[in-house]
């Protein structure tokens, strides 16, 4: 049990200036999220839950917007973070059924809920290597500690997650060997044939234009999404799921990521960081300035 829980206090999100503080609000983290989601739903129970209960097919843009807003709250939400964690647990209370192996599942079963959270660490670690910079050993350890903090915000007990990075890797490899499979939802997320409605967010004129062009735009966008999803997934997870990846694709990915690494750091902060992250960073700088004045 965490020290916060022992005192009855709300768990706190990761600290300003930490690895997650810099990583998860950067627009490059958006490119990593499909790989994390795909690794989550490669678990039979999680895949079945998403297949049967999620609106990702009928409202993909709304679901994506809500998921991103929730994720940002976990890291940058301050006092709102714990409330968001409680909301998510309430939302998942009724999600239950039978997985692809005929086993009953519940979304809040500790093993299932912990796996959904755990996938973020290896994907962030791997994606940072391509899109930002490789994390050194101290940064990896800090990232894992901060990811455990996020888990507590989500209501995951310490006993249900490996508490050190040394304990994490055997757990992770065991999950890849014993649980992970190429579920129906994985097929949809990495394939280019699943129907996706045009975006229903943004300015009215842009939505009309996208609706008109969507039959032409969707196929290449779906192929690119699949390419990034598979490419930014850790190789051992990719292999466990049975996703093909060639040397030629790896070279294309490296070229694309090299361009991203050059372009994004020179963007102004209002374009480089997501809105909540940008506001939190500005508020932290102001608090530091006032504290030092």
């Amino acid at each position: 049990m965490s020290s916060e829980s022992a005192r009855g206090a709300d768990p706190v999100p990761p600290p300003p200036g930490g690895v997650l503080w810099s990583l998860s609000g950067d627009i490059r983290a958006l490119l990593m999220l499909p790989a994390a989601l795909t690794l989550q739903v490669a678990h039979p129970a999680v895949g079945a839950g998403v297949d049967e209960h999620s609106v990702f097919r009928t409202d993909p843009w709304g679901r994506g917007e809500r998921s991103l807003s929730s994720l940002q709250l976990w890291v940058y939400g301050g006092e709102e973070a714990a409330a968001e964690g409680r909301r998510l647990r309430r939302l998942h209370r009724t999600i239950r059924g039978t997985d692809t192996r005929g086993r009953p599942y519940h979304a809040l079963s500790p093993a299932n809920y912990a796996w959904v959270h755990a996938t973020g660490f290896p994907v962030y670690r791997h994606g940072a290597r391509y899109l930002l910079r490789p994390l050194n050993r101290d940064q990896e350890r800090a990232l894992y500690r901060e990811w455990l903090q996020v888990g507590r915000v989500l209501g995951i007990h310490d006993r249900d997650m490996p508490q050190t990075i040394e304990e994490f890797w055997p757990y992770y490899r065991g999950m890849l060997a014993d649980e992970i499979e190429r579920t129906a939802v994985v097929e949809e997320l990495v394939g280019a044939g699943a129907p996706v409605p045009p975006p229903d967010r943004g300015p009215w004129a842009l939505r009309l234009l996208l609706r008109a062009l969507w039959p032409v735009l969707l196929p290449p966008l779906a192929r690119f999404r699949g390419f990034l999803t598979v490419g930014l997934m850790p190789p051992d997870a990719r292999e466990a799921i049975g996703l093909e990846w060639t040397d030629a694709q790896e070279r294309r990915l490296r070229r694309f990521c090299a361009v991203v690494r050059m372009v994004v750091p020179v963007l102004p902060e209002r374009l480089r960081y997501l809105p909540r992250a940008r506001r939190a960073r500005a508020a932290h700088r102001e608090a530091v300035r006032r504290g030092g004045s």
Side-chain angles (χ1 to χ4, degrees):
M1 182 178 291
S2 67
S3 58
E4 292 91 350
S5 299
R7 295 193 304 268
D10 281 340
V12 297
V19 179
L20 267 178
W21 185 267
S22 300
L23 178 59
S24 65
D26 191 301
I27 59 171
R28 288 171 285 187
L30 295 176
L31 300 176
M32 307 177 200
L33 295 182
L37 174 60
T38 302
L39 185 52
Q40 290 169 9
V41 300
H43 188 291
V46 180
V50 170
D51 190 19
E52 297 167 3
H53 297 276
S54 176
V55 297
F56 82 98
R57 296 185 183 96
T58 56
D59 183 25
W61 304 102
R63 185 187 186 279
E65 183 178 68
R66 292 187 295 273
S67 296
L68 182 60
S69 175
S70 181
L71 190 155
Q72 295 292 290
L73 276 171
W74 308 345
V75 178
Y76 303 103
E79 294 180 357
E80 295 179 72
E84 175 63 9
R86 291 190 291 270
R87 185 191 72 83
L88 286 174
R89 290 186 69 86
R90 289 194 301 270
L91 184 68
H92 288 83
R93 281 176 186 165
T94 60
I95 298 178
R96 62 179 72 236
T98 304
D99 72 14
T100 58
R101 300 181 186 179
R103 302 172 301 188
Y105 73 83
H106 188 283
L108 293 179
S109 295
N112 300 337
Y113 202 52
W115 172 251
V116 170
H117 179 60
T119 56
F121 171 68
V123 171
Y124 269 150
R125 173 182 175 269
H126 182 68
R129 185 176 302 170
Y130 281 78
L131 292 164
L132 290 93
R133 63 188 180 281
L135 302 178
N136 62 37
R137 181 174 295 184
D138 289 341
Q139 289 169 329
E140 284 191 13
R141 290 180 179 278
L143 175 61
Y144 191 71
R145 287 194 304 269
E146 293 169 17
W147 204 236
L148 288 176
Q149 285 184 260
V150 172
R152 295 178 191 122
V153 166
L154 298 176
I156 297 173
H157 296 290
D158 284 354
R159 63 177 178 267
D160 298 323
M161 279 284 291
Q163 289 301 290
T164 67
I165 199 169
E166 289 83 6
E167 294 170 342
F168 175 80
W169 292 118
Y171 155 79
Y172 171 72
R173 289 191 292 269
M175 292 294 292
L176 295 185
D178 300 332
E179 286 289 342
I180 299 311
E181 63 183 37
R182 190 162 176 158
T183 64
V185 182
V186 167
E187 292 284 3
E188 290 190 48
L189 293 179
V190 301
V196 178
D200 56 3
R201 266 66 176 166
W204 176 77
L206 178 61
R207 294 201 309 269
L208 282 181
L209 178 63
L210 288 173
R211 187 181 303 172
L213 296 176
W214 200 238
V216 176
L217 293 176
L218 178 58
L221 288 174
R223 288 193 295 271
F224 182 66
R225 179 198 62 192
F227 169 73
L228 283 183
T229 299
V230 179
L232 291 177
M233 186 175 292
D236 50 1
R238 186 194 301 151
E239 182 178 351
I241 298 173
L243 300 173
E244 295 182 2
W245 188 249
T246 67
D247 291 342
Q249 287 174 310
E250 179 68 17
R251 290 192 293 271
R252 285 172 52 205
L253 178 67
R254 289 179 181 273
R255 288 195 297 268
F256 170 76
C257 291
V259 173
V260 171
R261 288 197 307 272
M262 287 189 295
V263 171
V264 173
V266 300
L267 294 175
E269 184 155 323
R270 63 185 177 84
L271 296 178
R272 180 178 172 182
Y273 287 96
L274 297 170
R276 184 175 291 275
R278 192 169 65 246
R279 293 194 297 270
R281 288 167 61 86
H284 176 62
R285 286 195 298 266
E286 178 63 16
V288 171
R289 186 189 67 80
R290 290 183 177 181
S293 61

